[in-house]
Amino acid sequence: MVHAVLLGTAQDGGRPQPGCTRPCCHELQPHEIRHPVALGLVDDSGQGHLIEATRAMGDQLRLWGHPPLASVALTHAHFGHVDGLGLLGKETMSVRDLPLHASTSMINLLHATPMWSVLVQDGAIKPLPFEGTTSLGPGLSMTAVPVPHRAELSDMHALLFRGPSRSLLFLPDHDTWDETLAHHDEVSIRSWLRSLNVDVALIDGTFWSFDELPSRSQQDVPHPPVLETLERMGERRKGDAELVFIHLNHTNPLHRTESEAHQTVVQNGWCVGEQGMRFTL
Ligand SMILES: [Zn+2]
Ligand SMILES: [Zn+2]
Ligand SMILES: [Zn+2]
């Protein structure tokens, strides 16, 4: 059965975040540790397609149940999404000719970065640029959807997956709703998700509110706060996609199910991502 498994729910730095000695990180128990975001998809033939190559790939493949890996796709070049790429190479997994789907700008960066270009030269990975909708395997397709996100290294694409019965949008990072919606000529999140025909939307929930950041960092690491997404969406209505917040910063109260923030999300009919969560497509 075609399905997706959420393999990490944290922002690039993970939870705990290195260097953080505040209560959000320093007293975490082992069961509270969260990997950077990644998603595993399994097509109708049982082959696995991994979205993002994080440094936690070993744990993530274990959590996923180690389906045979048939492809990898990357959304963009920020470190938490790509810092496990080297694990595909000969020191560790030693993959051969593994298709790696990414944007042309991300692929150019792969070729220009010695520690990654060696993966191409060794024949471990085979970079394939996004083009329209690609079939990943039986019953599973992927469409790359460009979204504005700070692009010092590469551009950013959300990824839309379609199975036989449902579709899932993976949008871990973007800068602002205004820019993303303007880019797609849409007036609301609801209308955009409807135009893409999305059933489940795993979306950027990095910060609960801007209170988590000193004001300068709001420009350095822009993400729409969950509070703003909730304001724009209101309560879940019939026909709405299921919103699942992912890519949570270590400071985000949504990491704690007992927090008021978590309850607010649930009361509005939405959802907070959990590692291991499974979605049938
Ligand atoms: Zn990120
Ligand atoms: Zn922390
Ligand atoms: Zn990013």
Side-chain angles (χ1 to χ4, degrees):
M1 188 180 276
V2 180
H3 67 273
V5 181
L6 184 56
L7 301 175
T9 57
Q11 179 264 6
D12 300 41
R15 183 193 196 222
Q17 175 154 300
C20 180
T21 54
R22 285 177 283 164
C24 53
C25 292
H26 88 289
E27 279 171 350
L28 292 181
Q29 300 301 307
H31 70 275
E32 295 173 303
I33 289 168
R34 294 292 177 271
H35 304 310
V37 280
L39 186 71
L41 291 125
V42 176
D43 66 30
D44 228 1
S45 68
Q47 301 269 323
H49 306 272
L50 178 64
I51 314 307
E52 313 294 36
T54 87
R55 60 193 175 277
M57 196 186 292
D59 267 327
Q60 291 176 320
L61 293 175
R62 180 189 55 80
L63 176 68
W64 193 14
H66 286 284
L69 196 57
S71 74
V72 174
L74 303 173
T75 59
H76 69 307
H78 286 154
F79 85 96
H81 303 257
V82 294
D83 57 358
L85 270 176
L87 295 168
L88 298 170
K90 59 185 168 197
E91 296 87 349
T92 312
M93 290 173 69
S94 244
V95 299
R96 298 302 308 166
D97 291 327
L98 184 71
L100 184 137
H101 302 276
S103 70
T104 302
S105 109
M106 180 70 228
I107 290 172
N108 289 341
L109 185 68
L110 284 176
H111 289 298
T113 306
M115 65 180 287
W116 294 337
S117 66
V118 72
L119 294 171
V120 184
Q121 284 152 22
D122 287 353
I125 59 172
K126 200 170 57 182
L128 299 172
F130 293 144
E131 34 179 300
T133 297
T134 310
S135 167
L136 290 180
L140 179 64
S141 72
M142 177 179 77
T143 308
V145 181
V147 290
H149 183 46
R150 57 195 171 86
E152 321 85 335
L153 298 166
S154 79
D155 55 8
M156 161 78 202
H157 288 75
L159 297 173
L160 177 61
F161 302 96
R162 267 183 221 293
S165 52
R166 294 208 302 167
S167 64
L168 179 147
L169 180 73
F170 180 67
L171 170 62
D173 295 65
H174 63 146
D175 286 355
T176 64
W177 278 121
D178 281 342
E179 287 165 273
T180 295
L181 295 175
H183 189 87
H184 292 280
D185 240 345
E186 291 289 346
V187 291
S188 71
I189 303 172
R190 201 168 251 119
S191 67
W192 184 48
L193 296 178
R194 285 212 177 124
S195 74
L196 292 172
N197 199 7
V198 172
D199 295 304
V200 181
L202 308 188
I203 59 171
D204 183 340
T206 310
F207 301 111
W208 170 250
S209 77
F210 283 137
D211 295 347
E212 289 160 64
L213 283 171
S215 58
R216 208 183 75 83
S217 317
Q218 289 176 25
Q219 285 121 43
D220 288 351
V221 282
H223 291 274
V226 175
L227 266 179
E228 183 198 330
T229 306
L230 292 180
E231 259 165 43
R232 286 173 180 261
M233 290 298 286
E235 286 189 16
R236 188 174 181 189
R237 301 179 200 158
K238 196 164 178 287
D240 276 344
E242 179 183 354
L243 294 190
V244 181
F245 292 99
I246 59 166
H247 198 267
L248 310 181
N249 199 54
H250 62 117
T251 52
N252 193 324
L254 291 181
H255 276 300
R256 290 178 281 110
T257 48
E258 73 283 7
S259 66
E260 212 179 304
H262 197 287
Q263 282 164 31
T264 304
V265 169
V266 173
Q267 276 161 10
N268 279 282
W270 314 114
C271 188
V272 179
E274 283 168 32
Q275 253 169 227
M277 219 174 220
R278 188 182 150 123
F279 305 90
T280 300
L281 302 184

